[in-house]
């Protein structure tokens, strides 16, 4: 992805239909292999910073703060492509997932529960103990 | 996907963290090829019906009604797999997209705008005129 200059007043940011909380859902998909890793949320700052830096930034709804993916774990997402949908209210990022771990549980991806016979069954292994991932450095 | 019996009180439906409007975002990804087609929304009924019927059902926020994908266009999504994420607040469907058109604009997928040099550029062709897709039958 070519680097975009950050301009918080940019028309491309205005084109996005932010919800009543100023957010849009953002899907992160692996550029190679195509696995859907996560669904997170972005505010205007997060999307602008993502475009400027080439690294995925999100808005944490629980912590109510901007957050660079991998800032603690090191598992950054380098962004190759930013897409917007037909209604302008959902974003798709094509990313390279550093460390191969996108999920805070230590799994490759967050969608690791599969509906089987009326139960959610865990179908992806933990690749790294989260206590190791988030240990103080 | 094995068929699930519909039980609106089922524990697997309770496990989902519905938002304040009773919805979760649902990503539809092509089972073959891995393209991310759409992001739509589901309420409890939509998810239960999807699991029961094996066809994707969503909640239309604009029309405020339950909707079976393809009910007008014929472009159904046959669901092979239903996944839930680590926070239980996002769903991923692996689908077979009938007709090869997921978007109401007549494109293969909804994420057809790509950020290039500070502009959203349309990068996917219209495969079928929407007026033909939604013509009265």
């Amino acid at each position: 992805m070519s680097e975009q200059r950050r301009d918080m007043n940019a028309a491309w940011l205005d084109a996005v239909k932010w919800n009543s909380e100023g957010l849009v859902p953002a899907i992160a998909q692996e550029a190679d292999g195509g696995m859907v890793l996560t669904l997170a949320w972005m505010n205007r700052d997060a999307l602008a910073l993502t475009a400027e830096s080439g690294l995925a930034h999100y808005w944490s709804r629980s912590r109510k703060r901007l957050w660079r993916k991998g800032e603690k774990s090191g598992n950054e997402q380098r962004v190759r492509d930013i897409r917007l949908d037909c209604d302008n209210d959902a974003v798709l990022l094509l990313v390279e997932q550093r460390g191969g771990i996108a999920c805070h549980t230590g799994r490759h991806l967050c969608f690791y529960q599969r509906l089987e016979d009326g139960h959610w069954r865990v179908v992806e292994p933990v690749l790294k103990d989260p206590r190791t991932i988030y240990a103080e450095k």
Side-chain angles (χ1 to χ4, degrees), chain A residues 6-132:
Chain A
R6 178 151 52 138
D7 173 1
M8 289 301 294
N9 299 316
W12 70 272
L13 287 167
D14 289 335
V16 178
K17 281 192 199 153
W18 309 97
N19 73 9
S20 60
E21 296 170 285
L23 305 177
V24 283
I27 303 161
Q29 179 181 28
E30 265 184 318
D32 294 329
M35 303 290 278
V36 172
L37 300 173
T38 58
L39 187 142
W41 292 81
M42 287 181 157
N43 64 1
R44 195 175 172 103
D45 279 355
L47 183 53
L49 274 167
T50 298
E52 183 190 16
S53 67
L55 293 173
H57 289 69
Y58 301 107
W59 175 258
S60 168
R61 294 177 303 166
S62 56
R63 291 173 289 163
K64 298 193 189 309
R65 72 171 186 85
L66 195 71
W67 147 71
R68 179 171 58 75
K69 175 76 180 169
E71 65 184 17
K72 287 190 182 166
S73 65
N75 295 331
E76 294 173 343
Q77 291 177 339
R78 188 159 293 277
V79 177
R80 278 204 211 160
D81 211 355
I82 301 178
R83 299 282 191 112
L84 185 65
D85 79 347
C86 52
D87 295 325
N88 290 6
D89 63 0
V91 166
L92 173 66
L93 305 178
L94 290 171
V95 305
E96 297 161 31
Q97 178 61 58
R98 190 169 163 183
I101 295 175
C103 185
H104 75 287
T105 65
R107 293 179 174 86
H108 180 53
L109 45 77
C110 294
F111 292 94
Y112 59 78
Q113 301 179 91
R114 181 178 193 270
L115 186 61
E116 294 181 8
D117 301 322
H119 298 276
W120 296 110
R121 196 174 306 271
V122 171
V123 292
E124 301 281 342
V126 172
L127 301 176
K128 195 168 176 181
D129 186 332
R131 288 171 297 188
T132 314

